[in-house]
Structures are given as structure tokens and as C-alpha cells.
């Protein structure tokens, strides 16, 4: 089974940027679609972004569209989330997840992914 480790979180002021990374081990990510999810205090985990196995298609939550960009480097077995124009409401723990059974098309349900990392904290101050 693939193991995922997120990094790159931290504290940033509103309007700033961060780039999250998700490094995989145990399996090659080239067979997986990958997603990012987040969970704010007191809220349910929610979908943020998704990229298909080839990188040809990406999907975003309306709340981050135009500000966040998901990308992947299969040679490095790593997926990224570039976050620009950050807002205080983006504060959350961010998780990456791997989806082998549905490598193409949209999938916003974390329960349908095969593996999920431990998360990295992003805090945006106003």
C-alpha cells in the first residue's frame, strides 16, 4: 500500500502563498489519481483539489478555484498544491490522498480514496 507524507504547511499572512508537497513511498504514484482535502477546526473534512493519474485533468472546489493549483511529478513520486492569495478561511489541516481505483475523472469523496496522509497544518493570519 502507498504511504503518503505531506509537508510545506506553516503560518502565513492573508494574501500570502504556500506550496504543499505530498511524497509517496511503497508504490509509484503514476497509477493513482491524487487529491487534496482539508479539515478546519470544528468542521468536516472537505475536498480541495484533484489531479488524474496523467495530470491531464484537474478539479477544484469552488472556494479555491483560481487561487490553488494542483500538480504532480510522477518521476519524483510527489504531488503539489500551490496555494496563492490565501485567506484566513483556508486555515486547516491539509491531507493528500491517493485513488487507484478511479485514476480518471472527478472524485470528491475521501472515503473512496485508497490511502491518506497524516496532514500538514496551514494557518493563515488576518
Amino acid at each position: 500500500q502507498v504511504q503518503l507524507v505531506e509537508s510545506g504547511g506553516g503560518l502565513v499572512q492573508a494574501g500570502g502563498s504556500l506550496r504543499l508537497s505530498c511524497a509517496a513511498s511503497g508504490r509509484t504514484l503514476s497509477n493513482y489519481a491524487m487529491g487534496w482535502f482539508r479539515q478546519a477546526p470544528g468542521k468536516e473534512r472537505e475536498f480541495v483539489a484533484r489531479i488524474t493519474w496523467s495530470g491531464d485533468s484537474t478539479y477544484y472546489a469552488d472556494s479555491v478555484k483560481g487561487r490553488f493549483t494542483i500538480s504532480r511529478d510522477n518521476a519524483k513520486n510527489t504531488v503539489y498544491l500551490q496555494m496563492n492569495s490565501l485567506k484566513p478561511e483556508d486555515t486547516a489541516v491539509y491531507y493528500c490522498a491517493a485513488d487507484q481505483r478511479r485514476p480518471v475523472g472527478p472524485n470528491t469523496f475521501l472515503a473512496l480514496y485508497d490511502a491518506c496522509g497524516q496532514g500538514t497544518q496551514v494557518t493563515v493570519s488576518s
Side-chain angles (χ1 to χ4, degrees):
Q1 188 172 353
V2 64
Q3 288 83 44
L4 304 172
V5 178
E6 303 93 338
S7 63
L11 174 64
V12 64
Q13 288 188 332
S17 299
L18 282 174
R19 188 176 82 154
L20 305 183
S21 298
C22 172
S25 61
R27 296 281 179 90
T28 174
L29 282 187
S30 60
N31 298 324
Y32 293 77
M34 297 297 295
W36 284 96
F37 293 78
R38 68 186 182 186
Q39 187 167 19
K43 295 188 176 181
E44 293 187 353
R45 205 166 296 191
E46 65 176 2
F47 170 77
V48 175
R50 173 178 166 92
I51 187 166
T52 55
W53 71 274
S54 64
D56 286 349
S57 297
T58 56
Y59 307 88
Y60 297 93
D62 288 344
S63 59
V64 307
K65 205 170 292 184
R67 300 188 297 122
F68 290 11
T69 302
I70 188 171
S71 62
R72 66 190 302 156
D73 186 338
N74 286 342
K76 295 183 178 180
N77 233 24
T78 302
V79 176
Y80 305 96
L81 185 68
Q82 178 67 41
M83 306 186 295
N84 299 329
S85 302
L86 282 162
K87 305 175 181 180
E89 50 263 44
D90 293 319
T91 294
V93 178
Y94 283 71
Y95 302 87
C96 69
D99 182 1
Q100 186 178 30
R101 289 171 288 174
R102 300 164 190 81
V104 298
N107 181 7
T108 61
F109 299 100
L110 182 58
L112 298 180
Y113 284 69
D114 301 290
C116 184
Q118 294 299 308
T120 184
Q121 175 71 46
V122 172
T123 303
V124 184
S125 63
S126 58

